[in-house]
Amino acid sequence: MEPEVIEAELVLPIHLNFKRIQMYEKYPKGQSRGRHWKHLKQILQAENYNNYSPDEPNYVNIESPPSMHPCKRICDITGYEAPYYDPRTTLRYANADIFKVIRSLPNEYVQRYLAMRNAAVVLR
């Protein structure tokens, strides 16, 4: 080899970009591995909720005024957000496949789905 190459000292970074970091390098012994989650009891003690007025909603007092936003319409079959509803059965659905399933349901099942949503209507 050439003498210039032998005499030169190569300085390499400790971590190479293409190399995965090992856990013992990332978190030396004694260091935490991530986020510590607080329990509800710890949050309540830290926030000192006794000083809040009883009318103000918080973790302790979950009574709050009704939302000003309209409620989301959920598909009665799948539970996904439903932009459509069937005018014959008034069931909400998310896509065309579910619409086919709704149209094939017997009237008894349709009434059960409506009863779960508290929208039971006698269909003719």
Side-chain angles (χ1 to χ4, degrees):
M1 286 189 150
E2 298 177 20
E4 299 158 354
V5 174
I6 294 173
E7 292 175 7
E9 291 184 22
L10 294 175
V11 179
L12 294 175
I14 294 172
H15 172 68
L16 301 174
N17 291 335
F18 61 87
K19 183 181 172 188
R20 294 183 106 188
I21 299 175
Q22 298 296 321
M23 288 302 286
Y24 62 86
E25 292 174 358
K26 189 173 180 183
Y27 301 109
K29 203 168 195 176
Q31 286 187 356
S32 65
R33 289 193 166 211
R35 180 180 295 184
H36 293 286
W37 298 98
K38 290 184 179 181
H39 299 288
L40 179 61
K41 196 176 221 179
Q42 293 171 334
I43 293 171
L44 294 176
Q45 289 173 351
E47 294 292 326
N48 199 6
Y49 283 105
N50 296 333
N51 296 339
Y52 287 109
S53 67
D55 299 333
E56 187 175 343
N58 53 37
Y59 285 112
V60 176
N61 178 12
I62 58 172
E63 296 174 9
S64 62
S67 174
M68 300 304 289
H69 299 288
C71 62
K72 285 190 177 182
R73 295 193 170 126
I74 305 298
C75 176
D76 293 314
I77 308 296
T78 61
Y80 294 125
E81 198 166 339
Y84 317 106
Y85 84 98
D86 180 19
R88 187 191 311 171
T89 61
T90 66
L91 286 176
R92 298 177 183 144
Y93 61 95
N95 56 32
D97 296 332
I98 304 302
F99 179 70
K100 291 176 188 174
V101 171
I102 288 174
R103 285 297 172 105
S104 67
L105 287 175
N107 191 20
E108 177 185 334
Y109 289 164
V110 170
Q111 290 299 321
R112 288 182 186 173
Y113 277 116
L114 289 172
M116 283 194 305
R117 196 177 75 199
N118 291 331
V121 178
V122 178
L123 300 176
R124 297 177 189 159

